[in-house]
């Protein structure tokens, strides 16, 4: 058996999330079907982080085991020929069976892109979030800084989250403005279900002046989801980085990052 790692990119608004479902229109479903044709045997994928419906990935890392003897190009060009245009394999690598895309990822990175203009975007519909009242990026950046460190993120955790612990180590939390756009960047050892969309919702409340900067710290201490802001839409959320220890032949010595850049069109 060989263990193959793939690097993916996909437009999440074309799928109903990553994880396989009965209807078959998920990223995992279409990719496993394509891989099975190339491998001439069933293939089961394991990913670095499951994304919800509408959430994009400029970087997603997956692995699978196969008995098939194929050149590396078969797992890239061959598979891409069988995939819809909204998902693509960027690279492949063969690794030892001690690698696991999910359990050995030591960091994950997300970016949320928010279009802050009076009218909703049309060309970027589904690819960016939108909020029409003016937002104060400096207040939001100050509030985001409160999130860095080891915290219990229960106030930003979805009710159906299955993680065993709400504690995460946030290594980066930034908000920056680029013209009409706000970029929310988060990097941590892991994230809870809906955690980033809930963080963005709370930061937007701070940015529009609904709450003071200190409210973010109060929410962390409260550990109560009912006290935080509503979950923000998935449209502008991108999984854009995954890091592994540098002992496998992966791009970037295991730090695989591709930040979505403006302009998107």
């Amino acid at each position: 058996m060989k263990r193959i790692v793939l690097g993916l990119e996909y437009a999440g608004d074309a799928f109903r999330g990553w994880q396989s479902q009965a209807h078959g229109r998920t990223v995992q479903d279409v990719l496993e079907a394509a891989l099975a044709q190339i491998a001439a045997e069933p293939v089961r994928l394991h990913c670095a982080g499951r994304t919800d419906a509408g959430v994009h990935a400029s970087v997603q890392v997956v692995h699978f085991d196969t008995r098939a003897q194929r050149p590396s190009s078969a797992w890239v060009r061959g598979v891409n020929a069988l995939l819809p245009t909204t998902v693509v394999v960027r690279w492949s690598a063969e690794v030892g069976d001690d690698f696991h895309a999910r359990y050995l990822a030591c960091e994950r990175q997300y970016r949320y892109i928010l279009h802050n203009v009076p009218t909703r975007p049309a060309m970027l519909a589904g690819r960016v979030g939108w909020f029409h009242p003016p937002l104060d990026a400096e207040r939001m950046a100050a509030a985001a800084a409160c999130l860095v460190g080891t915290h219990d993120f229960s106030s930003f955790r979805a009710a159906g989250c299955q993680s065993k612990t709400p504690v995460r180590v946030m290594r980066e939390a930034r908000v920056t403005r680029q013209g009409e756009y706000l970029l929310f960047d988060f990097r941590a050892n892991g994230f809870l279900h809906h955690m980033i969309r809930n963080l963005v919702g709370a930061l937007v409340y701070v940015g529009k002046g609904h709450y003071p900067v200190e409210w973010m710290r109060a929410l962390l201490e409260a550990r109560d989801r009912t006290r935080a802001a509503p979950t923000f839409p998935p449209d502008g959320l991108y999984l854009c980085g995954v890091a592994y220890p540098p002992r496998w032949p992966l791009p970037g010595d295991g730090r695989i990052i591709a930040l979505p850049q403006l302009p998107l069109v």
Side-chain angles (χ1 to χ4, degrees):
M1 295 288 285
K2 290 185 176 182
R3 180 155 294 182
I4 306 297
V5 184
L6 304 178
L8 312 178
E9 173 187 313
Y10 52 83
D13 54 334
F15 300 97
R16 299 183 184 178
W18 161 266
Q19 191 169 10
S20 182
Q21 296 182 30
H23 53 67
R25 191 59 184 175
T26 69
V27 183
Q28 183 177 10
D29 288 322
V30 299
L31 185 55
E32 285 183 349
L35 286 166
Q37 289 191 57
I38 298 298
E41 64 180 9
V43 168
R44 187 65 174 174
L45 288 168
H46 304 270
C47 72
R50 291 176 292 184
T51 52
D52 291 332
V55 177
H56 315 289
S58 55
V59 168
Q60 172 68 280
V61 179
V62 303
H63 83 260
F64 65 96
D65 294 329
T66 181
R67 296 181 180 86
Q69 302 293 321
R70 303 286 184 271
S72 179
S73 60
W75 305 123
V76 181
R77 292 196 298 272
V79 173
N80 285 339
L82 301 171
L83 289 173
T85 57
T86 45
V87 56
V88 66
V89 179
R90 288 296 186 198
W91 52 266
S92 72
E94 185 176 341
V95 296
D97 60 8
D98 57 339
F99 177 85
H100 196 286
R102 177 184 176 188
Y103 297 125
L104 293 176
C106 51
E107 276 189 354
R108 294 170 181 84
Q109 186 166 343
Y110 284 84
R111 168 170 281 185
Y112 195 102
I113 302 177
L114 181 65
H115 204 185
N116 187 207
V117 290
T119 56
R120 59 179 173 79
M123 294 290 289
L124 293 175
R127 304 300 165 86
V128 298
W130 172 59
F131 195 75
H132 63 280
L135 294 171
D136 187 327
E138 291 186 3
R139 285 170 51 88
M140 298 166 80
C146 300
L147 303 170
V148 176
T150 303
H151 301 290
D152 182 323
F153 284 94
S154 292
S155 291
F156 306 100
R157 179 183 192 176
C161 180
Q162 298 178 354
S163 178
K164 294 179 180 179
T165 172
V167 176
R168 293 292 185 271
V169 182
M170 185 74 77
R171 299 188 175 118
E172 179 183 0
R174 296 187 300 119
V175 181
T176 54
R177 180 177 284 279
Q178 289 189 21
E180 298 176 340
Y181 298 90
L182 288 163
L183 306 181
F184 300 75
D185 288 298
F186 302 97
R187 181 169 54 89
N189 66 337
F191 292 91
L192 305 168
H193 192 203
H194 288 175
M195 176 174 159
I196 296 173
R197 291 165 58 188
N198 292 334
L199 288 171
V200 170
L203 289 167
V204 165
Y205 268 32
V206 173
K208 70 178 182 177
H210 198 75
Y211 288 102
V213 168
E214 295 76 19
W215 183 57
M216 292 299 291
R217 194 178 303 280
L219 287 177
L220 284 172
E221 295 172 352
R223 302 177 184 177
D224 183 354
R225 177 72 191 101
T226 64
R227 293 181 59 178
T231 304
F232 223 67
D235 304 27
L237 183 56
Y238 294 78
L239 173 59
C240 57
V242 185
Y244 298 94
R247 63 176 184 266
W248 296 284
L250 301 175
D253 287 332
R255 295 193 61 81
I256 308 161
I257 300 169
L259 292 171
Q261 301 294 324
L262 294 169
L264 294 173
V265 294

